[in-house]
Amino acid sequence: MIVTEMRESIKAIGILGTGSAVPEGVLTNAQLEAMVDTSDEWIVTRTGIRERRIADQGTASSHLAYEAALKALERAQIQAEDLDLIICATVTPDMAFPATACLLQDRLGINAIPAFDLSAGCSGFGYALTVAESMLRGGPYKKALVVGVDILSRITDYEDRSTSVLFGDGAGAAILGEVPNGFGFLASELGADGASGGVLQLPGGGSLQPASLESVHRRQHFIKMQGSDVFKFAVRILEESAKRVVAKAGLAMEDVVWVVPHQANIRIIRSAANRLEIPEERFFVNVDRYGNTSAASIGLALDELAQTGDLKHGDYVVLVGFGAGLTWSALVLRWFEGGLVRE
Ligand code: ACO
């Protein structure tokens, strides 16, 4: 686990604009009732999810990433040609290679700049923000596009009631660049507990279990999850990592105006609010409308929060997530409004 204090550096890096995209198709709890042995009442009380968005067959991760990226570029008031780095966090790339970030680069009509994918499950957006921030702060890069995108519906087993009710598709994007001192990213923490990784896996399709008739027959190309183990990990790590990163930024919990948590389950979010003693109203929540969109979740929520107008210049914001790995990411930033244009 590495906790970084970013204020020590001379250059301050922040978010200049955000964007997001979700597919039009909606899968409601009522529709799931017809697919597996579940009920709207169980799903709402145990997860807080009412519906999720599902991509149609022709839509891949790079398509949603592109839509989200265009909005983020517009709000940051820069052109795709101004970018000099693209990082895409995803566990559902269009294909194993080329990287979805490279496909996105091409779709944006630019070339030559570095573009790569990063796999950290639902913590991916926080991981990608931290990697981009350090490349901008320390290196020659000036403007980065970070996208968290996943089409989990492609790897969700719609015969398994314990996972099929949870997941949805989407993308969240952010443009990173220099901001005035005192704004932008103040501290971050990335961590992983590889020993516990077995509780959340997509076992098939990799070099260990390549796709075969047998792997398909054994449903190895779908998410396998021990939900209660992930739940316990999530509740613990959200509290611990948020506390550490807020302290590292030199702040108290009362200073935090917004928490944008990974949107997996309303009970996990409520438990984090209780443990951190931060009122629930300061946690931005959209899990009811989108379910768990994996790497897209925090970027999608941050973009929606920014578009409400409730996120003000100078607000201290905590972004905190957990996911496959098991991984976690927590960041503190002071919101800089300069580059944002609201719809
Ligand atoms: N409908 C009805 N009943 C269900 C359903 C369902 N959809 N799913 C499970 N149940 C049943 C179980 O079979 C079990 O029945 P039993 O008592 O007869 O055995 C009962 O409900 C309770 O099951 P639990 O798994 O203990 O339920 P829990 O309260 O833990 O909720 C859940 C399950 C929602 C999956 C929860 O554990 C959770 O949210 N975990 C975190 C998951 C998560 O966030 N994963 C994503 C990580 S991020 C990433 O990288 C993708």
Side-chain angles (χ1 to χ4, degrees), residues 38 42 46 122 161 165 200 225 227-228 264-265 267 292 323-324:
T38 192
W42 191 96
R46 306 305 288 170
C122 305
R161 70 175 181 174
V165 301
L200 180 53
M225 184 177 75
S228 59
N265 185 319
R267 289 189 294 139
N292 179 347

Side-chain angles (χ1 to χ4, degrees), residues 270-291:
R270 285 196 183 123
S271 152
N274 277 337
R275 286 164 172 242
L276 292 168
E277 298 181 19
I278 295 179
E280 226 181 289
E281 312 81 72
R282 287 204 256 143
F283 280 66
F284 187 80
V285 174
N286 62 11
V287 69
D288 50 326
R289 287 177 289 128
Y290 302 126

Side-chain angles (χ1 to χ4, degrees), residues 37-39 42-43 46-47 121-122 152 161-162 165-167 200 225 227-228 230-231 262 264-265 267-268 292 294 322-324:
D37 179 15
T38 192
S39 66
W42 191 96
I43 301 170
R46 306 305 288 170
T47 72
C122 305
L152 285 191
R161 70 175 181 174
S162 71
V165 301
L166 302 176
F167 302 119
L200 180 53
M225 184 177 75
S228 59
V230 179
F231 193 100
H262 172 42
N265 185 319
R267 289 189 294 139
I268 294 175
N292 179 347
S294 187
F322 59 92

